[in-house]
Coordinates of all heavy atoms in Angstrom, one line a residue:
T1 N 18.6 7.8 -27.4 CA 17.6 8.6 -28.1 C 16.3 8.5 -27.4 O 15.7 7.4 -27.2 CB 17.4 8.2 -29.6 OG1 18.7 8.2 -30.2 CG2 16.4 9.1 -30.2
I2 N 15.7 9.6 -27.0 CA 14.4 9.6 -26.4 C 13.4 10.0 -27.4 O 13.6 10.8 -28.3 CB 14.3 10.7 -25.2 CG1 13.1 10.6 -24.4 CG2 14.6 12.1 -25.6 CD1 13.1 11.3 -23.1
S3 N 12.2 9.3 -27.3 CA 11.1 9.6 -28.2 C 9.8 9.3 -27.5 O 9.8 8.7 -26.4 CB 11.3 8.7 -29.6 OG 11.2 7.3 -29.2
R4 N 8.7 9.7 -28.1 CA 7.4 9.5 -27.5 C 6.4 9.2 -28.6 O 6.5 9.7 -29.8 CB 7.0 10.6 -26.6 CG 6.7 11.9 -27.3 CD 6.6 13.1 -26.2 NE 5.4 12.8 -25.4 CZ 5.4 13.5 -24.2 NH1 6.3 14.3 -23.8 NH2 4.3 13.3 -23.4
D5 N 5.4 8.5 -28.2 CA 4.2 8.3 -29.0 C 3.0 8.7 -28.2 O 2.5 8.0 -27.4 CB 4.1 6.8 -29.4 CG 3.0 6.5 -30.4 OD1 2.0 7.3 -30.5 OD2 3.1 5.5 -31.1
N6 N 2.5 9.9 -28.5 CA 1.4 10.4 -27.7 C 0.1 9.6 -27.9 O -0.7 9.6 -27.0 CB 1.2 11.9 -27.9 CG 2.3 12.7 -27.3 OD1 3.0 12.2 -26.4 ND2 2.5 14.0 -27.7
A7 N -0.1 9.0 -29.0 CA -1.3 8.1 -29.2 C -1.2 6.9 -28.4 O -2.3 6.4 -28.1 CB -1.4 7.8 -30.7
K8 N -0.1 6.5 -28.0 CA 0.1 5.3 -27.1 C 0.4 5.7 -25.7 O 0.6 4.7 -24.9 CB 1.1 4.4 -27.7 CG 0.8 3.8 -29.1 CD 1.9 2.8 -29.6 CE 1.5 2.2 -30.9 NZ 2.6 1.3 -31.3
N9 N 0.5 6.9 -25.4 CA 0.8 7.4 -24.0 C 2.1 6.7 -23.6 O 2.2 6.2 -22.4 CB -0.3 6.9 -23.1 CG -1.4 8.0 -23.1 OD1 -1.6 8.8 -24.1 ND2 -2.2 8.0 -22.0
T10 N 3.1 6.7 -24.5 CA 4.4 6.0 -24.1 C 5.6 6.9 -24.5 O 5.6 7.5 -25.6 CB 4.4 4.7 -24.8 OG1 3.3 3.8 -24.5 CG2 5.6 3.8 -24.5
V11 N 6.5 6.8 -23.6 CA 7.9 7.4 -24.0 C 8.9 6.3 -24.0 O 8.8 5.3 -23.3 CB 8.2 8.6 -22.9 CG1 8.4 8.0 -21.6 CG2 9.5 9.3 -23.4
Y12 N 9.9 6.5 -24.9 CA 10.9 5.4 -25.1 C 12.3 6.0 -24.8 O 12.6 7.3 -25.0 CB 10.9 4.9 -26.5 CG 9.5 4.4 -26.9 CD1 8.6 5.1 -27.7 CD2 9.1 3.1 -26.6 CE1 7.4 4.7 -28.0 CE2 7.9 2.6 -27.0 CZ 7.0 3.4 -27.7 OH 5.8 2.9 -28.1
L13 N 13.2 5.2 -24.5 CA 14.6 5.5 -24.4 C 15.4 4.4 -25.1 O 15.5 3.3 -24.7 CB 15.1 5.6 -23.0 CG 16.5 6.3 -22.9 CD1 16.6 7.6 -23.3 CD2 17.1 6.1 -21.4
Q14 N 15.9 4.7 -26.3 CA 16.7 3.8 -27.2 C 18.1 4.0 -26.7 O 18.7 5.0 -26.8 CB 16.6 4.0 -28.6 CG 17.5 3.2 -29.4 CD 17.1 1.7 -29.5 OE1 15.9 1.3 -29.5 NE2 18.0 0.8 -29.3
M15 N 18.7 2.9 -26.2 CA 20.1 3.0 -25.7 C 21.0 2.1 -26.5 O 20.8 0.9 -26.5 CB 20.1 2.5 -24.2 CG 19.1 3.3 -23.3 SD 19.3 2.9 -21.5 CE 18.8 1.1 -21.6
N16 N 21.9 2.7 -27.2 CA 23.0 2.0 -28.0 C 24.3 2.2 -27.4 O 24.6 3.0 -26.5 CB 22.9 2.7 -29.4 CG 21.6 2.4 -30.1 OD1 20.9 1.5 -29.8 ND2 21.2 3.3 -31.0
S17 N 25.2 1.3 -27.9 CA 26.6 1.4 -27.4 C 26.7 1.4 -26.0 O 27.5 2.3 -25.4 CB 27.3 2.6 -28.1 OG 27.2 2.5 -29.4
L18 N 26.0 0.5 -25.3 CA 26.0 0.6 -23.8 C 27.3 0.1 -23.3 O 28.1 -0.6 -23.8 CB 24.9 -0.5 -23.4 CG 23.4 0.1 -23.4 CD1 22.4 -1.0 -23.3 CD2 23.2 1.2 -22.4
K19 N 27.6 0.8 -22.1 CA 28.9 0.6 -21.4 C 28.6 0.2 -20.0 O 27.5 0.3 -19.5 CB 29.6 2.0 -21.3 CG 29.8 2.7 -22.6 CD 30.4 4.2 -22.4 CE 30.5 4.9 -23.7 NZ 31.1 6.3 -23.4
P20 N 29.6 -0.5 -19.4 CA 29.4 -0.9 -18.0 C 28.9 0.2 -17.0 O 28.2 -0.1 -16.1 CB 30.8 -1.5 -17.6 CG 31.4 -2.0 -18.9 CD 30.9 -1.0 -20.0
E21 N 29.4 1.4 -17.3 CA 29.0 2.5 -16.4 C 27.6 3.0 -16.6 O 27.1 3.8 -15.9 CB 30.0 3.7 -16.6 CG 30.1 4.2 -18.0 CD 31.4 3.6 -18.7 OE1 31.7 2.4 -18.5 OE2 32.0 4.4 -19.4
D22 N 26.9 2.4 -17.6 CA 25.4 2.6 -17.8 C 24.6 1.8 -16.9 O 23.3 2.0 -16.9 CB 25.0 2.4 -19.2 CG 25.6 3.4 -20.2 OD1 25.8 4.6 -19.9 OD2 26.0 3.0 -21.3
V23 N 25.2 0.9 -16.2 CA 24.4 0.1 -15.3 C 23.8 0.9 -14.2 O 24.5 1.6 -13.4 CB 25.3 -1.0 -14.6 CG1 24.5 -1.7 -13.5 CG2 25.9 -1.9 -15.6
D24 N 22.4 0.8 -14.1 CA 21.6 1.7 -13.2 C 20.2 1.2 -13.2 O 19.8 0.4 -14.0 CB 21.7 3.2 -13.6 CG 22.9 3.9 -13.3 OD1 23.3 3.9 -12.1 OD2 23.4 4.6 -14.2
V25 N 19.5 1.7 -12.2 CA 18.0 1.6 -12.4 C 17.6 2.9 -13.1 O 18.0 4.0 -12.7 CB 17.4 1.6 -11.0 CG1 15.9 1.5 -11.1 CG2 17.9 0.4 -10.2
Y26 N 16.8 2.7 -14.1 CA 16.3 3.7 -14.9 C 14.8 4.1 -14.6 O 14.0 3.2 -14.5 CB 16.4 3.4 -16.4 CG 17.8 3.5 -16.9 CD1 18.8 2.6 -16.5 CD2 18.3 4.6 -17.8 CE1 20.1 2.7 -16.9 CE2 19.5 4.6 -18.2 CZ 20.5 3.7 -17.8 OH 21.8 3.8 -18.2
Y27 N 14.6 5.4 -14.4 CA 13.3 5.9 -14.1 C 12.7 6.8 -15.1 O 13.5 7.7 -15.6 CB 13.4 6.6 -12.7 CG 13.8 5.8 -11.5 CD1 15.1 5.8 -11.2 CD2 12.8 5.1 -10.7 CE1 15.6 5.0 -10.1 CE2 13.3 4.4 -9.6 CZ 14.7 4.3 -9.4 OH 15.1 3.6 -8.2
C28 N 11.4 6.7 -15.4 CA 10.8 7.8 -16.2 C 10.1 8.6 -15.2 O 9.7 8.3 -14.1 CB 10.0 7.3 -17.3 SG 8.5 6.5 -16.8
A29 N 9.9 9.9 -15.7 CA 9.2 10.9 -14.9 C 8.4 11.9 -15.7 O 8.8 12.1 -16.9 CB 10.3 11.7 -14.0
A30 N 7.5 12.5 -15.2 CA 6.5 13.4 -15.9 C 6.5 14.8 -15.2 O 6.4 14.9 -14.0 CB 5.1 12.8 -16.0
S31 N 6.6 15.8 -16.0 CA 6.4 17.1 -15.5 C 5.3 17.9 -16.2 O 5.3 18.0 -17.4 CB 7.8 17.9 -15.7 OG 7.6 19.3 -15.2
S32 N 4.4 18.5 -15.4 CA 3.3 19.2 -16.0 C 3.6 20.7 -16.1 O 2.7 21.5 -16.5 CB 2.0 19.0 -15.1 OG 2.2 19.4 -13.8
T33 N 4.8 21.1 -15.6 CA 5.0 22.6 -15.6 C 5.8 23.1 -16.9 O 6.9 22.5 -17.1 CB 6.0 22.9 -14.4 OG1 5.4 22.4 -13.2 CG2 6.3 24.4 -14.4
P34 N 5.2 23.9 -17.7 CA 5.9 24.3 -18.9 C 7.1 25.2 -18.6 O 7.0 26.0 -17.7 CB 4.8 25.1 -19.6 CG 3.9 25.6 -18.6 CD 3.9 24.5 -17.5
H35 N 8.2 24.9 -19.2 CA 9.4 25.7 -19.0 C 10.4 25.4 -20.1 O 10.2 24.4 -20.9 CB 10.1 25.1 -17.6 CG 10.7 26.2 -16.8 ND1 11.9 26.7 -17.1 CD2 10.3 26.9 -15.8 CE1 12.3 27.6 -16.3 NE2 11.2 27.8 -15.4
G36 N 11.5 26.0 -20.1 CA 12.5 25.7 -21.1 C 13.1 24.3 -20.9 O 13.1 23.9 -19.8
I37 N 13.5 23.7 -21.9 CA 13.8 22.3 -22.0 C 15.0 22.0 -21.0 O 15.0 21.0 -20.4 CB 14.1 21.7 -23.3 CG1 14.1 20.3 -23.4 CG2 15.4 22.3 -23.9 CD1 12.7 19.7 -23.2
S38 N 15.9 22.9 -20.8 CA 17.1 22.6 -20.0 C 16.7 22.6 -18.5 O 17.4 22.1 -17.6 CB 18.2 23.6 -20.2 OG 17.7 24.9 -19.9
W39 N 15.5 23.1 -18.1 CA 15.1 23.2 -16.7 C 14.8 21.8 -16.2 O 14.9 21.5 -15.0 CB 13.8 24.1 -16.6 CG 13.3 24.3 -15.3 CD1 13.9 25.0 -14.3 CD2 12.1 23.9 -14.7 NE1 13.1 25.0 -13.1 CE2 12.0 24.3 -13.4 CE3 11.1 22.9 -15.2 CZ2 10.9 24.0 -12.6 CZ3 10.0 22.8 -14.4 CH2 9.9 23.2 -13.1
Y40 N 14.5 20.9 -17.1 CA 14.0 19.6 -16.7 C 15.2 18.6 -16.4 O 15.0 17.5 -16.2 CB 13.2 18.9 -17.8 CG 11.9 19.7 -18.1 CD1 11.8 20.5 -19.3 CD2 10.9 19.6 -17.2 CE1 10.6 21.2 -19.5 CE2 9.7 20.4 -17.5 CZ 9.6 21.1 -18.6 OH 8.4 21.8 -18.9
V41 N 16.4 19.1 -16.2 CA 17.5 18.3 -15.9 C 17.5 18.1 -14.4 O 18.2 17.1 -13.8 CB 18.9 18.9 -16.3 CG1 19.0 19.1 -17.8 CG2 19.2 20.2 -15.5
S42 N 16.7 18.8 -13.7 CA 16.6 18.6 -12.2 C 15.5 17.7 -11.9 O 14.4 17.8 -12.4 CB 16.4 20.0 -11.5 OG 16.1 19.8 -10.2

């Protein structure tokens, strides 16, 4: 579950039921370009 608190300038990723295949380095990223939400998969 992704969420954000704009008052704290913070975004969260709650990860439940973790699996061995979830092992990775996790990065957050910011986009200033307004677009449809599915565009941001790239």
Side-chain angles (χ1 to χ4, degrees):
T1 302
I2 189 170
S3 62
R4 67 191 296 161
D5 185 338
N6 286 343
K8 295 182 178 180
N9 280 16
T10 303
V11 62
Y12 306 97
L13 187 67
Q14 177 67 42
M15 305 186 296
N16 298 329
S17 302
L18 282 161
K19 305 175 181 179
E21 52 263 43
D22 293 320
V23 172
D24 282 308
V25 177
Y26 283 72
Y27 299 89
C28 71
S31 176
S32 61
T33 305
H35 217 283
I37 196 71
S38 61
W39 185 69
Y40 296 107
V41 302
S42 171

